[in-house]
Amino acid sequence: MAIVTIKGLNFEPYISREEIQKQVLRVAQEIRRDYENNELPPVFVCVLNGSFIFAADLFRAVNLEHSEITFIRFKSYEGTSSTGEITQVMGLAENITGRDVIIVEDIVDTGVTAKALRAILRAKNPKSMKMATLLYKPASLTTGEVPEYVGFEIPSRFILGYGLDLDGEARSLPDIYVKVD
Ligand code: IMP
Ligand code: MG
């Protein structure tokens, strides 16, 4: 795999599609184990846009009968750093009151999005709420919003591919790339 250039910045291969699938399956097994004996199946809440590819793979791999998925949309990033402010662009159509909710995020960086999201969803009175994220940058976390299910813990470097973008670009790359310093 070669270097890719997006918006004038160089990115090198970081996590291969094979490694991604391996960790998606591992996280899916953890979720299945934790929810398979529940009376009501969980509702996955996919946080658009970045999480849609991970959510599609995870949801299928968990494969719990009668589980549901719904979508919410936020915007917090501009360029390669968090703006620290999040804007809700699209709300939740489904009712999650009394349900076990699994929030699906692509990446937890500062945790500002995770915190705001949990507050918004908590107001709808779910029975429980956990977060599954493909990637987690523990050194960047400023909010104490530690995700319950994590694919990869990574250092605080900017990455893209497999749904993650730079100003809307590079989401379709099957592997994950990291910015070359
Ligand atoms: P947080 O609110 O700082 O935790 O950031 C969460 C959101 O910022 C994620 O859902 C991503 O959309 C975006 N983000 C954080 N780090 C990266 C990265 O390294 N690459 C691409 N997007 C990122
Ligand atoms: Mg996101």
Side-chain angles (χ1 to χ4, degrees), residues 76-77 82 105-113 137 157-159 164-165:
S76 75
Y77 246 58
S82 189
E105 262 287 21
D106 50 353
I107 187 162
V108 175
D109 184 28
T110 62
V112 168
T113 309
K137 298 179 184 171
R157 296 174 68 190
F158 187 79
I159 57 165
L164 290 124
D165 71 306

Short mmCIF file of all heavy atoms in Angstrom, two decimals, residues 76-77 82 105-113 137 157-159 164-165, ligand 1:
data_model
loop_
_atom_site.label_atom_id
_atom_site.label_comp_id
_atom_site.label_asym_id
_atom_site.label_seq_id
_atom_site.Cartn_x
_atom_site.Cartn_y
_atom_site.Cartn_z
N SER A 76 -18.50 17.98 14.10
CA SER A 76 -17.65 18.63 15.11
C SER A 76 -16.26 18.94 14.57
O SER A 76 -15.55 19.77 15.10
CB SER A 76 -17.49 17.73 16.34
OG SER A 76 -16.60 16.68 16.07
N TYR A 77 -15.90 18.26 13.49
CA TYR A 77 -14.52 18.38 13.01
C TYR A 77 -14.44 19.31 11.81
O TYR A 77 -15.27 19.27 10.92
CB TYR A 77 -13.98 17.02 12.59
CG TYR A 77 -12.85 16.52 13.46
CD1 TYR A 77 -13.02 16.36 14.83
CD2 TYR A 77 -11.61 16.21 12.91
CE1 TYR A 77 -11.99 15.88 15.61
CE2 TYR A 77 -10.58 15.73 13.69
CZ TYR A 77 -10.77 15.56 15.04
OH TYR A 77 -9.75 15.09 15.80
N SER A 82 -10.49 18.90 16.17
CA SER A 82 -11.85 19.08 16.66
C SER A 82 -12.10 20.57 16.91
O SER A 82 -11.24 21.27 17.41
CB SER A 82 -12.01 18.29 17.96
OG SER A 82 -13.36 18.28 18.34
N GLU A 105 -19.81 4.67 17.25
CA GLU A 105 -18.97 5.79 16.81
C GLU A 105 -17.81 5.26 15.99
O GLU A 105 -17.35 4.13 16.20
CB GLU A 105 -18.42 6.53 18.04
CG GLU A 105 -19.20 7.77 18.43
CD GLU A 105 -19.00 8.94 17.48
OE1 GLU A 105 -18.59 8.74 16.32
OE2 GLU A 105 -19.28 10.07 17.88
N ASP A 106 -17.32 6.07 15.07
CA ASP A 106 -16.10 5.70 14.35
C ASP A 106 -14.88 5.91 15.25
O ASP A 106 -14.00 5.06 15.33
CB ASP A 106 -15.96 6.49 13.05
CG ASP A 106 -16.15 7.99 13.23
OD1 ASP A 106 -16.51 8.45 14.33
OD2 ASP A 106 -15.94 8.73 12.25
N ILE A 107 -14.87 7.05 15.95
CA ILE A 107 -13.68 7.38 16.74
C ILE A 107 -14.05 8.28 17.92
O ILE A 107 -14.90 9.16 17.78
CB ILE A 107 -12.61 8.05 15.82
CG1 ILE A 107 -11.29 8.26 16.54
CG2 ILE A 107 -13.10 9.33 15.18
CD1 ILE A 107 -10.11 8.50 15.59
N VAL A 108 -13.45 8.02 19.06
CA VAL A 108 -13.59 8.91 20.21
C VAL A 108 -12.24 9.60 20.40
O VAL A 108 -11.22 8.95 20.62
CB VAL A 108 -14.01 8.16 21.49
CG1 VAL A 108 -14.02 9.11 22.69
CG2 VAL A 108 -15.40 7.54 21.31
N ASP A 109 -12.26 10.92 20.25
CA ASP A 109 -11.04 11.73 20.28
C ASP A 109 -11.05 12.52 21.60
O ASP A 109 -10.63 12.01 22.63
CB ASP A 109 -11.05 12.61 19.03
CG ASP A 109 -9.81 13.44 18.84
OD1 ASP A 109 -8.74 13.04 19.31
OD2 ASP A 109 -9.90 14.52 18.22
N THR A 110 -11.60 13.73 21.63
CA THR A 110 -11.71 14.48 22.89
C THR A 110 -12.86 13.93 23.75
O THR A 110 -12.88 14.12 24.95
CB THR A 110 -12.00 15.97 22.62
OG1 THR A 110 -13.26 16.08 21.95
CG2 THR A 110 -10.91 16.61 21.78
N GLY A 111 -13.82 13.28 23.09
CA GLY A 111 -14.99 12.77 23.81
C GLY A 111 -16.11 13.80 23.92
O GLY A 111 -17.15 13.54 24.51
N VAL A 112 -15.91 14.98 23.32
CA VAL A 112 -16.93 16.04 23.37
C VAL A 112 -18.21 15.58 22.68
O VAL A 112 -19.31 15.75 23.20
CB VAL A 112 -16.38 17.36 22.72
CG1 VAL A 112 -17.50 18.37 22.51
CG2 VAL A 112 -15.28 17.95 23.59
N THR A 113 -18.06 14.95 21.53
CA THR A 113 -19.24 14.44 20.80
C THR A 113 -19.93 13.37 21.63
O THR A 113 -21.16 13.38 21.77
CB THR A 113 -18.82 13.85 19.43
OG1 THR A 113 -18.03 14.82 18.75
CG2 THR A 113 -20.03 13.50 18.59
N LYS A 137 -8.77 7.43 21.03
CA LYS A 137 -7.49 8.10 21.31
C LYS A 137 -7.48 8.50 22.78
O LYS A 137 -7.87 9.63 23.12
CB LYS A 137 -7.35 9.36 20.45
CG LYS A 137 -7.33 9.15 18.94
CD LYS A 137 -7.21 10.50 18.22
CE LYS A 137 -7.29 10.38 16.73
NZ LYS A 137 -7.40 11.71 16.05
N ARG A 157 -3.06 10.87 16.69
CA ARG A 157 -2.67 11.30 15.35
C ARG A 157 -3.90 11.28 14.47
O ARG A 157 -4.84 10.54 14.72
CB ARG A 157 -1.60 10.37 14.79
CG ARG A 157 -0.31 10.40 15.58
CD ARG A 157 0.66 9.35 15.08
NE ARG A 157 1.16 9.67 13.74
CZ ARG A 157 1.87 8.79 13.01
NH1 ARG A 157 2.14 7.59 13.47
NH2 ARG A 157 2.31 9.15 11.81
N PHE A 158 -3.89 12.11 13.41
CA PHE A 158 -5.06 12.19 12.54
C PHE A 158 -5.07 11.04 11.54
O PHE A 158 -4.08 10.79 10.86
CB PHE A 158 -5.11 13.53 11.80
CG PHE A 158 -6.38 13.71 11.02
CD1 PHE A 158 -7.55 14.08 11.66
CD2 PHE A 158 -6.42 13.45 9.66
CE1 PHE A 158 -8.74 14.20 10.96
CE2 PHE A 158 -7.60 13.58 8.94
CZ PHE A 158 -8.76 13.96 9.60
N ILE A 159 -6.20 10.34 11.48
CA ILE A 159 -6.31 9.19 10.57
C ILE A 159 -7.51 9.35 9.65
O ILE A 159 -8.41 10.16 9.91
CB ILE A 159 -6.45 7.88 11.37
CG1 ILE A 159 -7.67 7.97 12.29
CG2 ILE A 159 -5.21 7.56 12.18
CD1 ILE A 159 -8.08 6.64 12.80
N LEU A 164 -13.81 7.26 7.88
CA LEU A 164 -13.28 8.51 8.45
C LEU A 164 -12.77 9.41 7.33
O LEU A 164 -12.15 8.94 6.37
CB LEU A 164 -12.15 8.20 9.43
CG LEU A 164 -12.64 7.54 10.71
CD1 LEU A 164 -11.93 6.23 10.93
CD2 LEU A 164 -12.45 8.48 11.88
N ASP A 165 -13.00 10.70 7.50
CA ASP A 165 -12.75 11.63 6.41
C ASP A 165 -11.85 12.80 6.78
O ASP A 165 -11.59 13.07 7.95
CB ASP A 165 -14.09 12.23 5.97
CG ASP A 165 -14.63 13.20 7.02
OD1 ASP A 165 -14.76 12.78 8.19
OD2 ASP A 165 -14.91 14.37 6.69
P1 IMP B 1 -14.49 14.22 19.57
O1 IMP B 1 -15.77 14.93 19.82
O2 IMP B 1 -13.30 15.14 19.73
O3 IMP B 1 -14.30 12.94 20.37
O4 IMP B 1 -14.44 13.83 18.06
C1 IMP B 1 -15.32 12.97 17.55
C2 IMP B 1 -15.47 13.11 16.06
O5 IMP B 1 -14.38 13.82 15.43
C3 IMP B 1 -15.43 11.74 15.46
O6 IMP B 1 -16.70 11.15 15.46
C4 IMP B 1 -14.88 12.00 14.07
O7 IMP B 1 -15.92 12.35 13.20
C5 IMP B 1 -13.95 13.18 14.26
N1 IMP B 1 -12.54 12.75 14.40
C6 IMP B 1 -11.80 12.66 15.53
N2 IMP B 1 -10.54 12.23 15.28
C7 IMP B 1 -10.49 12.03 13.94
C8 IMP B 1 -9.44 11.55 13.05
O8 IMP B 1 -8.30 11.22 13.44
N3 IMP B 1 -9.79 11.48 11.74
C9 IMP B 1 -11.02 11.82 11.25
N4 IMP B 1 -12.01 12.27 12.04
C10 IMP B 1 -11.75 12.36 13.37
#
